[in-house]
Amino acid sequence: MRRGILLIALGTMLATAAGRASPAPSAATPPEFADLYAALEGRLQVISRAVVARWDGERHPVVFAAELLAANGNRGEQLLTDRAWQGVLVNLDRLQRLGARGIVVKIGYPLLVPTFPRAADYLAFYTRLAQEIRRRNLVLLAKTTAIFRNPVFSAVPVNYAGLTLDRFRREKRQMVETIIREVRPDYLTVDNEPGTEGQNTGLSFTVAAFTEVAQFVTNGLDRRGVRIGAGAGSWDDLTYFQSLAQHTSLDYLDVHIYPVNRDYVADRVFRIAEIARGSGKKVVIGESWLYKSRNSELAGSIAAAADLFARDVFGFWEPLDERFVEVMGVLSHAVKVEFTSFFWSRYFFAYVDYTDWTRRLSPAEVFRLANEAAARNMLADPPRLTQSGVAFQKVSASTAAPAPSPGRW
């Protein structure tokens, strides 16, 4: 579930934010969220017990990573300025200092399609960024999922009108070849979250269609040592994973974890891992964060629910986010995941206080406040961390061995 909005201004703020003190997080759960808080807390306890019961205690050499939000392709041409580049470097530096051993970057379709405006400039930006990430000896996962078309979620003026599945797969293949040749990431996820992709592009991604795109992109592909993957959300039908595992030449299945409701984590992730390994594929958790949703609110598109994502910013969720990070750490070892990334990495640095004023703000307004708070705390000396950030530090240090050298597998 990709949430372009959230970070549209983060890079600029990192480059310009002053060192003002950020507000303390709320100490108590607001009454209107008491039931949801209790439900999520209970689910995390259930998941934790289930995962520990299935874990043999062996620590796996997981690469724990974080999303580089300041470089997300949904920022569009905002990325292509010197100020933005400085903000990206600050974001990257702080994540590395936090303990991230891997970095995830969204190079969204169709940014690198040659006919897309300023495609060459985007390619130069991401090529330069990849060089910087390699210089720091960090593992890079790039992903080419579609740019959001809703302006609330993205600053990129994409127009998918008239897009066909044939054109989509051809242009996706073209982008993948370009990224392999020029950007040279360690992992490259070509597609994920079929429901989100369908909503963004207007295409219908049935299991067969989604699999066919992955087949077209990977068949005969000169991978040059880059591991290629695709996947779906843990909330999606498991037949997506089964079909990708059985009918493609992918190197790994990429699962996204957001809702902890129902059986979306404790059972499904283990089943997805069994599906992957049954076909000789690895498992990657390309995105994860705790989705603040009641069961009754899960209808529709998870990825486009701005009002639900706006809940993430508030500090009273911090203990649950901390617990989620810890549970994901144990889950990654238990399932023997190769690479696990946390999407909302800005909350490793700051939250927003829940007040009578902030509770009435629009999603765009509270996202702006969250970006400002995170930028201030990243720029502090030393950077200020939330308890979620401290939890990430500990989880990343829990791995059994050093991360593999980028580009060598």
Side-chain angles (χ1 to χ4, degrees), residues 145-163:
T145 47
I147 291 291
F148 278 89
R149 60 179 173 179
N150 187 330
V152 176
F153 288 84
S154 174
V156 182
V158 291
N159 182 0
Y160 297 114
L163 181 66

Side-chain angles (χ1 to χ4, degrees), residues 24-45:
S26 303
T29 305
E32 57 265 43
F33 291 115
D35 65 317
L36 176 56
Y37 193 102
L40 294 175
E41 185 175 38
R43 283 305 304 162
L44 289 172
Q45 291 174 352

Side-chain angles (χ1 to χ4, degrees), residues 23-33 310-311 313-316 351-362 366 369:
S26 303
T29 305
E32 57 265 43
F33 291 115
R311 294 173 179 173
V313 308
F314 296 117
F316 66 84
Y351 290 90
V352 172
D353 199 19
Y354 188 83
T355 68
D356 287 340
W357 172 60
T358 57
R359 67 188 291 270
R360 292 183 173 88
L361 297 177
S362 70
V366 293
L369 290 180

